[in-house]
Amino acid sequence: EEAHDSAVAGPDFAERCKVCLHELQTACSEALSGPEFRVEPFDWTPDVRLETFGSTRQGTALESSDLDVRMTFEQFEVHGQQRQLKYLKGIVASPGERFKVVQLIEARLPVLRLCFDGRLYVDLSMGGALDGSAGRDEDVLGIDQPLTALVDAAVDVDAARRFVRLVKAFAK
């Protein structure tokens, strides 16, 4: 009980994530508003959409958890590692005042790791549709959907989330 209660993310963590997501929306929109991201012949830049996934969305976050964020655009989906890297590198070049770039991981699914206000790590990735309808190869939600479904199917959802948080706390 004590181990769980000391590790579980509280209201301050939730508020920090909310503020971070708002600031990240602004930072990404500004970073990707330059001429190199202008879509011809329409003469507009993409409208950034962000969605959280992982432990913050599942309700299993710890105080030490990071914030997993998926980015896409209102007008189109970004497929392919090189195209995704182009947009993530745009954010690396201008991450905003409250974010520090930690690392750009150039994997099959690129991830930009940021630190918000020196306290909250953010993993920003790109994918297909935000509604979870992306194809299996592009699904950045990974374990998110099955774990959420499993927890939601439990007889006692709060106890299931508590169990997941305890496993995570001891795994760290």
Side-chain angles (χ1 to χ4, degrees):
E1 185 91 17
E2 186 178 321
H4 174 270
D5 293 346
S6 66
V8 68
D12 289 344
F13 179 82
E15 181 62 24
R16 191 166 41 253
C17 288
K18 180 180 173 185
V19 171
C20 175
L21 194 60
H22 173 76
E23 292 294 323
L24 185 61
Q25 176 76 41
T26 301
C28 290
S29 295
E30 289 176 3
L32 302 178
S33 66
E36 65 273 28
F37 300 105
R38 194 158 297 287
V39 177
E40 298 296 336
F42 308 108
D43 200 36
W44 46 257
T45 53
D47 295 320
V48 173
R49 292 176 59 198
L50 301 177
E51 177 183 59
T52 60
F53 65 98
S55 62
T56 55
R57 186 166 179 171
Q58 298 162 3
T60 59
L62 304 175
E63 279 294 327
S64 60
S65 292
D66 60 8
L67 179 62
D68 297 307
V69 180
R70 181 180 191 178
M71 179 175 71
T72 191
F73 303 122
E74 185 74 32
Q75 297 87 348
F76 57 91
E77 294 181 11
V78 179
H79 300 280
Q81 178 193 37
Q82 292 309 309
R83 289 194 64 215
Q84 292 172 352
L85 281 169
K86 172 187 173 184
Y87 291 105
L88 292 175
K89 286 178 179 178
I91 297 164
V92 167
S94 182
E97 292 180 15
R98 298 182 74 178
F99 292 93
K100 177 185 174 207
V101 174
V102 176
Q103 182 180 15
L104 176 59
I105 302 165
E106 297 189 23
R108 185 168 84 50
L109 178 67
V111 177
L112 174 57
R113 178 150 257 230
L114 302 164
C115 187
F116 175 69
D117 283 349
R119 296 181 64 195
L120 177 63
Y121 286 95
V122 180
D123 287 341
L124 180 65
S125 57
M126 298 190 73
L130 286 175
D131 62 7
S133 64
R136 182 179 167 173
D137 292 341
E138 299 170 26
D139 184 10
V140 299
L141 300 180
I143 192 69
D144 200 43
Q145 289 174 331
L147 184 56
T148 300
L150 182 64
V151 168
D152 288 345
V155 173
D156 185 341
V157 172
D158 290 333
R161 285 194 179 110
R162 184 179 196 83
F163 176 73
V164 170
R165 285 190 294 261
L166 278 170
V167 169
K168 288 174 60 173
F170 284 108
K172 291 188 176 205

